[in-house]
Amino acid sequence: MISVIIIGTGNVAQNLFEAFFKVSNMSVTAVIGRSNTALAYFENRTQTLTDYNKIPQADVYLIAVKDDAILEVAKKLPKQGFVAHTSGGLGMSELLPLKNRGVFYPLQTFTKKKIMNFSSIPICVEATTESGLALLENLGKKISTKVVVLNSEQRAKLHLAAVFANNFTNYLYTLGAQICEEASVDFKLLAPLIKETACKIEAITPLKAQTGPAVRGDQKTMDTHLQLLENASQRELYKGLSKAIRETHHSKKN
Amino acid sequence: MISVIIIGTGNVAQNLFEAFFKVSNMSVTAVIGRSNTALAYFENRTQTLTDYNKIPQADVYLIAVKDDAILEVAKKLPKQGFVAHTSGGLGMSELLPLKNRGVFYPLQTFTKKKIMNFSSIPICVEATTESGLALLENLGKKISTKVVVLNSEQRAKLHLAAVFANNFTNYLYTLGAQICEEASVDFKLLAPLIKETACKIEAITPLKAQTGPAVRGDQKTMDTHLQLLENASQRELYKGLSKAIRETHHSKKN
């Protein structure tokens, strides 16, 4: 039996709550939030609290709040408790001066009102003690088939890689949508292509999967594209990405 | 009954052949290629030809070869035939001086040895005559539920949007894989995140789905990321994409 207290009420907190709630041999003892309005989602399913002085005992205190609020929240938690945050970008040191501390980072993008199936979501764990690490591994395995131990440096790099693969990729979709809109073409026509591009990485490396005018060195098509782009910032990104593709693939081949 | 002759033997030709082959009320009369080796894939399933003088009659001659070979191939086809190419980036004018011409562009990325299910792949069609257009629409509907009429200008923009959403996105995956490799972290951990990011666009616009340090204006995390990036070209892209995200979202909010 593992008991968890969740601090936070946002997308990550809600998703973790739902994942834990379904599992046997564990309990979410309480959820702590800034206001009863924020806590409304969890009401009647577990104890909800706004007062840190009333926090019950639990095996793990899981901080699922914004990065810049983690330290402030951590200071209010019982000194003897085992505390972990759920941030990919921050190290364990964020929880200093707590001694028993760790990280429980679910690598996924969470959207409001969308509850995810955790079984294939990687959970990256790290802790200051072996017993803490074992506890977080057990907790992870209750909801996911993919629990990996990463140190803070590795997790920081993984989080950075995720910015490229998720945030920046989503921005390229935004540009694609803009270009379609300008031509009165339905952006959703691109959905099957976008999904296939994403799924391909499981079969071949993205390095091998690279296609398009830049990797072919097809200057004629690239010139046409630059003429078609109506905005300077889009042209700059087109040039920058095409140049980087050429450099990457040129240096790999030679 | 629609009869088609496919010119070309690559990924697009093979995928179109397989899609047409399964369908009733149509036939692939022949496939034309440069050599018998290239044609081996199609042998015993249809007539295979290397000699353009022996081309049989068909309703549609479909050119599925590389962009810069289309014109050369088109010149060898019967002048009275209805000819369409399958390129997203090129206009109908590429087939001049042929009178009955069109475009039949399946919007997808095709990989060697991977046969796709065409039912959800958008087919973008265009033709110089109404009868030609009706023919291509019928042909498209035999294999896909999504046939759209786009003019050459719209298709060129869609193709450009696809470069952002597919080629450039795949390059961001490549960078993500590089960053993971440097930290001895398995890139495949990012697969569920990548897939979720791709699937999200069907539920909300990518503009609304944007997350990450750039859109939040989280300079501290961006500075950390820039320090973690080991290579100048990656740092340049990180800065360029972050700046573009800030500009896009700043101008939309004001």
Side-chain angles (χ1 to χ4, degrees):
Chain A
M1 184 75 168
I2 306 180
S3 59
V4 174
I5 288 178
I6 294 174
I7 300 100
T9 56
N11 299 338
V12 177
Q14 289 182 13
N15 266 280
L16 283 172
F17 176 80
E18 295 299 343
F20 291 142
F21 198 77
K22 279 189 285 193
V23 163
S24 60
N25 272 329
M26 71 162 296
S27 75
V28 181
T29 312
V31 176
I32 308 176
R34 276 175 299 182
S35 68
N36 286 321
T37 316
L39 285 162
Y41 181 88
F42 308 92
E43 257 172 34
N44 302 322
R45 299 173 75 195
T46 184
Q47 191 183 351
T48 55
L49 290 168
T50 56
D51 185 350
Y52 283 79
N53 295 316
K54 293 185 184 162
I55 299 179
Q57 280 247 320
D59 297 321
V60 186
Y61 298 84
L62 213 49
I63 304 181
V65 302
K66 282 182 185 159
D67 279 12
D68 54 11
I70 291 175
L71 184 58
E72 184 196 332
V73 162
K75 283 180 185 161
K76 299 183 196 168
L77 294 173
K79 294 285 168 289
Q80 74 284 12
F82 177 64
V83 179
H85 71 64
T86 59
S87 165
L90 297 177
M92 279 203 295
S93 56
E94 194 70 16
L95 297 175
L96 278 171
L98 293 170
K99 270 190 187 160
N100 289 320
R101 59 187 196 275
V103 179
F104 187 89
Y105 169 48
L107 176 55
Q108 186 49 284
T109 171
F110 297 101
T111 315
K112 227 173 184 169
K113 292 185 185 167
K114 182 172 179 189
I115 297 303
M116 305 287 291
N117 175 3
F118 264 69
S119 65
S120 65
I121 297 178
I123 311 274
C124 310
V125 296
E126 183 186 16
T128 47
T129 62
E130 277 190 31
S131 61
L133 188 63
L135 186 58
L136 290 184
E137 281 188 280
N138 280 338
L139 188 63
K141 282 176 189 165
K142 288 201 175 284
I143 55 175
S144 167
T145 57
K146 196 92 196 167
V147 180
V148 283
V149 179
L150 296 182
N151 61 38
S152 291
E153 203 187 326
Q154 287 178 310
R155 197 179 52 256
K157 289 265 189 151
L158 181 62
H159 182 249
L160 173 57
V163 167
F164 279 92
N166 166 19
N167 303 154
F168 290 165
T169 288
N170 183 74
Y171 185 65
L172 295 184
Y173 299 161
T174 307
L175 293 183
Q178 274 178 12
I179 294 164
C180 284
E181 201 181 336
E182 285 161 12
S184 304
V185 172
D186 183 4
F187 169 63
K188 293 225 170 137
L189 287 176
L190 288 168
L193 174 67
I194 283 172
K195 278 196 261 184
E196 173 64 13
T197 306
C199 291
K200 228 181 222 189
I201 58 150
E202 298 208 288
I204 50 170
T205 66
L207 191 71
K208 279 188 188 161
Q210 190 64 56
T211 55
V215 71
R216 283 199 308 272
D218 178 352
Q219 195 60 49
K220 195 179 146 198
T221 300
M222 289 192 276
D223 289 344
T224 308
H225 283 167
L226 286 169
Q227 279 169 11
L228 285 172
L229 285 168
E230 290 175 17
N231 123 11
S233 155
Q234 289 174 358
R235 278 195 298 274
E236 213 172 300
L237 282 176
Y238 188 99
K239 281 187 209 166
L241 285 158
S242 296
K243 182 169 157 264
I245 290 174
R246 269 203 311 280
E247 283 170 3
T248 298
H249 286 266
H250 188 72
S251 70
K252 292 277 167 186
K253 275 174 194 159
N254 292 325
Chain B
M1 183 74 168
I2 306 179
S3 59
V4 174
I5 288 178
I6 295 174
I7 301 100
T9 56
N11 299 338
V12 177
Q14 288 182 13
N15 266 281
L16 283 171
F17 177 80
E18 295 297 343
F20 290 143
F21 198 76
K22 280 188 287 195
V23 163
S24 59
N25 272 329
M26 69 163 296
S27 75
V28 181
T29 312
V31 176
I32 308 175
R34 277 175 297 181
S35 70
N36 285 322
T37 316
L39 286 162
Y41 181 89
F42 308 92
E43 257 171 33
N44 302 323
R45 299 173 75 196
T46 185
Q47 190 182 354
T48 56
L49 289 168
T50 55
D51 185 352
Y52 284 80
N53 294 318
K54 292 182 183 165
I55 299 179
Q57 280 247 321
D59 296 321
V60 185
Y61 298 84
L62 213 49
I63 304 180
V65 302
K66 281 182 185 159
D67 279 12
D68 53 12
I70 292 176
L71 185 59
E72 184 197 331
V73 161
K75 284 181 185 164
K76 298 183 195 168
L77 295 173
K79 294 285 168 290
Q80 74 284 11
F82 178 63
V83 179
H85 70 66
T86 58
S87 165
L90 297 177
M92 280 203 294
S93 56
E94 194 69 17
L95 297 175
L96 278 170
L98 293 169
K99 269 190 188 162
N100 288 322
R101 59 185 196 277
V103 178
F104 187 89
Y105 169 49
L107 177 54
Q108 186 50 283
T109 171
F110 297 101
T111 316
K112 227 173 185 170
K113 293 184 185 170
K114 183 173 178 187
I115 298 303
M116 304 288 293
N117 174 3
F118 265 70
S119 66
S120 65
I121 296 178
I123 311 272
C124 310
V125 295
E126 182 185 17
T128 47
T129 63
E130 277 189 32
S131 61
L133 189 63
L135 187 56
L136 290 184
E137 280 187 283
N138 280 338
L139 188 62
K141 282 176 189 165
K142 288 203 176 281
I143 55 175
S144 168
T145 56
K146 195 92 197 167
V147 180
V148 283
V149 179
L150 297 182
N151 62 37
S152 291
E153 202 187 327
Q154 288 177 309
R155 199 178 50 255
K157 290 264 190 158
L158 181 61
H159 183 249
L160 172 58
V163 167
F164 279 91
N166 166 19
N167 303 154
F168 290 164
T169 287
N170 182 73
Y171 185 65
L172 295 183
Y173 299 161
T174 307
L175 294 183
Q178 274 178 12
I179 294 163
C180 285
E181 203 181 336
E182 284 160 12
S184 304
V185 171
D186 183 6
F187 170 62
K188 293 221 171 139
L189 287 176
L190 287 168
L193 174 68
I194 284 173
K195 278 196 263 183
E196 173 66 14
T197 307
C199 290
K200 227 180 223 190
I201 59 151
E202 297 206 292
I204 50 170
T205 66
L207 191 71
K208 279 189 188 161
Q210 190 64 55
T211 56
V215 71
R216 283 199 309 272
D218 178 353
Q219 195 60 48
K220 195 180 146 197
T221 300
M222 289 192 277
D223 289 343
T224 308
H225 283 168
L226 286 168
Q227 279 168 11
L228 285 173
L229 285 167
E230 291 175 15
N231 125 5
S233 156
Q234 289 174 358
R235 278 195 298 275
E236 213 171 300
L237 282 176
Y238 188 99
K239 281 186 209 165
L241 285 159
S242 296
K243 181 170 157 260
I245 290 174
R246 269 202 311 280
E247 283 170 4
T248 298
H249 286 265
H250 188 74
S251 71
K252 291 279 165 180
K253 276 174 193 157
N254 293 325

